[in-house]
Amino acid sequence: MAFSNISIKLVRTIPAGSPTLKDFKVEAVDTPSESSLKPNEVLIRSLYFSCDPYFRGRLSGTKDSYVTSFIPGNPLEGRGIGIVEASTSPKFSKGDMITSAAFKWENYFISSDAQLTNIPSNTGISPGNHLGVLGMPSFTAYVGLVHLCKAQAGETILVSAASGAVGQMVVQLAKTRGLRVIGAAGSDDKVEFVKSLGADVVFNYKTCGNLGDTVKKAAPQGIDIYFDNVGGELLDVALSSMRFFGRIAACGMISQYNATPETAYHIKNLGNVVTKKVTIYGYIVSDYFAKPVYKDFIDEVSARFKKGDIQYKLDEVVGIENAPQALLDLFEGKNFGKRVVKVGGVI
Ligand SMILES: NC(=O)c1ccc[n+]([C@@H]2O[C@H](COP(=O)([O-])OP(=O)(O)OC[C@H]3O[C@@H](n4cnc5c(N)ncnc54)[C@H](OP(=O)(O)O)[C@@H]3O)[C@@H](O)[C@H]2O)c1
C-alpha cells in the first residue's frame, strides 16, 4: 500500500519582517521506499515536530549563524520524534522510537543513522514530552539558570515569556532552588498558569502599564537574575533593575526576531552592566548536550517530573499541514506552552 507523504517547504528566504503562510508550501511528495535505503540509513515515520523560535533565524537566509539557514525549495527541519519503519543500520530496528535534531518536516523521510538517537521504551515519558519536559527548551532553562547563572536560594529572578517552553521550566527550577520568582507573560491565562507553577509575582506585560514601574514594584530591592527570552523593552527595564553582581541569561530575544531596521528596539540601559557589575551569559544550548550538565538535567528533571514535583505544558497542533501556522504562532504569542506538531493524518 502506498503511504501519502506531505512535505513542508520554504518558498523564499525572509531576511527581516514577519513571515506569512505564503512563505511555506505544503506539498505532496513521493514516499521513500525501503528499497531506496543505502547502508546505515533509516526510513522514519514522523510522530512529532518541535516548533522553535530559532527557526526564525533559519528562515532568514543568513550564512553568519551557529545553525544553517533553510534553503528555498527544501523541507524545513528541526527536532522531532518518530518511529523506524525500515533500517539498514545495525543501530536501529523497525519499531524503534528515535529522535534527532534534523527531522525533515515530512511524514516519511530517510536519515543517516549518525543523526539519530534511540528513545528507550521504558522512560515513562510520553513521546511528545521528549520534545517538552526532557527536550531542548527545558535543557536550555537548566543551562541558563543552574549552570551559567548559578541561581542561589534567596535571590530574585525575573523570567520573560514565563509560560513558554523555556520559561515554564525556568520558573519551576528557580522555585525548587528557593528563589523569589517574578514572571512576565502575554495574556491573563498565561499569567494564571505561571502563578500555578509557584511564581511569586506574575504580570501581563501587555496590560500592566509602565513596565519599569511594574518591575520595580515586583522587585523593590532589584533583580539578581534576569532570564531573558524576549530582548527589547523588557530587557532594557531589567537592565535598569539589576542588583550588584547580577546575572543575565541571554537565552533569546524573540521580540526582535521579526524586527526591521526601522522597528528594532534600541537598548538604553547597557551602562548598568558596568556600574552594577552584571555578567551577561549569551549561550546556545546545543553546545551543552555533550557536557556533564546534560546528565544532571535529565536526572533531576525526569525524577521530579515522575514524582509530580514538576509539571510541563505541551501545546499540540494536530496535522502536518498545520505546521507552518503552528510555527508562525510563536511570534505572536499564540502558543500556550511548548508548541509541537502531532504529525498525524497518515493513511
Ligand atoms: N539560547 C538557546 O539555546 C535557546 C534555546 C531555546 C530557545 N531559546 C530562546 O528562548 C526564547 C523562548 O523560546 P521558547 O521555545 O520557550 O518559546 P515560547 O516561549 O514557547 O514561545 C514564544 C513566546 O514568546 C513570546 N513572544 C512572542 N513574540 C513576542 C514579542 N514580540 N514580544 C515579547 N514576547 C513575545 C510569546 O509569549 P507571551 O505570550 O508571553 O508574550 C510566545 O508565546 C526564544 O527567544 C528562543 O529563541 C534559546
Side-chain angles (χ1 to χ4, degrees):
M1 181 165 88
F3 295 100
S4 67
N5 197 15
I6 301 288
S7 182
I8 309 297
K9 294 182 172 174
L10 181 64
V11 173
R12 62 163 192 131
T13 55
I14 309 138
S18 299
T20 71
L21 281 181
K22 287 189 186 143
D23 297 317
F24 304 93
K25 193 157 58 169
V26 179
E27 192 177 84
V29 294
D30 290 340
T31 305
S33 65
E34 183 172 350
S35 59
S36 56
L37 287 174
K38 297 193 194 84
N40 302 316
E41 285 190 336
V42 175
L43 171 59
I44 294 162
R45 173 165 57 92
S46 302
L47 295 181
Y48 287 94
F49 301 142
S50 179
C51 291
D52 294 292
Y54 81 96
F55 273 42
R56 181 63 190 88
R58 300 188 74 182
L59 299 174
S60 70
T62 182
K63 292 190 168 64
D64 183 22
S65 174
Y66 63 96
V67 63
T68 55
S69 281
F70 297 130
I71 298 167
N74 284 3
L76 271 59
E77 63 169 45
R79 290 180 184 272
I81 304 284
I83 298 288
V84 172
E85 287 291 323
S87 170
T88 55
S89 163
K91 295 192 260 178
F92 300 96
S93 308
K94 185 174 164 63
D96 285 353
M97 188 178 292
I98 47 90
T99 186
S100 158
F103 246 69
K104 287 201 171 80
W105 278 26
E106 297 183 337
N107 297 99
Y108 294 90
F109 67 96
I110 288 176
S111 168
S112 138
D113 67 358
Q115 293 171 304
L116 307 177
T117 308
N118 246 314
I119 299 177
S121 55
N122 59 355
T123 59
I125 305 282
S126 68
N129 246 332
H130 283 281
L131 298 176
V133 72
L134 292 188
M136 176 277 283
S138 286
F139 183 43
T140 304
Y142 197 93
V143 170
L145 183 77
V146 179
H147 186 71
L148 296 174
C149 288
K150 300 198 175 10
Q152 303 296 322
E155 291 187 321
T156 296
I157 183 170
L158 171 65
V159 186
S160 50
S163 75
V166 175
Q168 62 179 308
M169 184 57 67
V170 176
V171 168
Q172 294 179 88
L173 290 172
K175 279 314 297 178
T176 58
R177 282 164 170 74
L179 280 82
R180 181 163 181 276
V181 177
I182 301 163
S187 76
D188 292 347
D189 285 353
K190 290 182 178 183
V191 166
E192 288 310 310
F193 170 64
V194 178
K195 283 183 186 163
S196 78
L197 300 177
D200 299 276
V201 181
V202 190
F203 61 89
N204 179 338
Y205 69 92
K206 291 178 179 166
T207 58
C208 66
N210 184 288
L211 264 184
D213 292 348
T214 304
V215 170
K216 285 214 161 55
K217 192 172 159 209
Q221 313 299 322
I223 299 163
D224 298 290
I225 299 176
Y226 174 44
F227 198 104
D228 187 19
N229 285 315
V230 302
E233 188 185 358
L234 196 47
L235 169 60
D236 223 0
V237 163
L239 279 166
S240 70
S241 287
M242 295 307 293
R243 302 186 70 184
F244 281 107
F245 299 106
R247 288 89 74 206
I248 296 178
C251 172
M253 303 202 175
I254 194 168
S255 74
Q256 303 303 298
Y257 293 174
N258 287 340
T260 62
E262 292 72 37
T263 62
Y265 184 91
H266 297 282
I267 297 288
K268 303 167 189 75
N269 295 316
L270 202 56
N272 281 15
V273 172
V274 179
T275 56
K276 293 288 176 62
K277 311 175 200 180
V278 170
T279 302
I280 302 179
Y281 293 100
Y283 70 107
I284 295 298
V285 69
S286 48
D287 293 337
Y288 294 87
F289 282 100
K291 298 195 174 178
V293 63
Y294 185 56
K295 184 178 181 310
D296 296 345
F297 158 73
I298 293 288
D299 288 351
E300 175 178 336
V301 172
S302 55
R304 286 203 152 132
F305 184 65
K306 284 177 198 165
K307 263 172 57 187
D309 286 355
I310 279 184
Q311 48 175 300
Y312 198 81
K313 188 172 178 58
L314 277 182
D315 176 13
E316 276 186 14
V317 168
V318 177
I320 188 170
E321 65 282 6
N322 297 317
Q325 187 61 56
L327 174 65
L328 295 181
D329 284 353
L330 293 177
F331 307 100
E332 295 184 16
K334 290 182 179 164
N335 63 307
F336 190 172
K338 167 66 194 139
R339 176 56 64 90
V340 294
V341 174
K342 188 173 183 182
V343 177
V346 182
I347 348 162

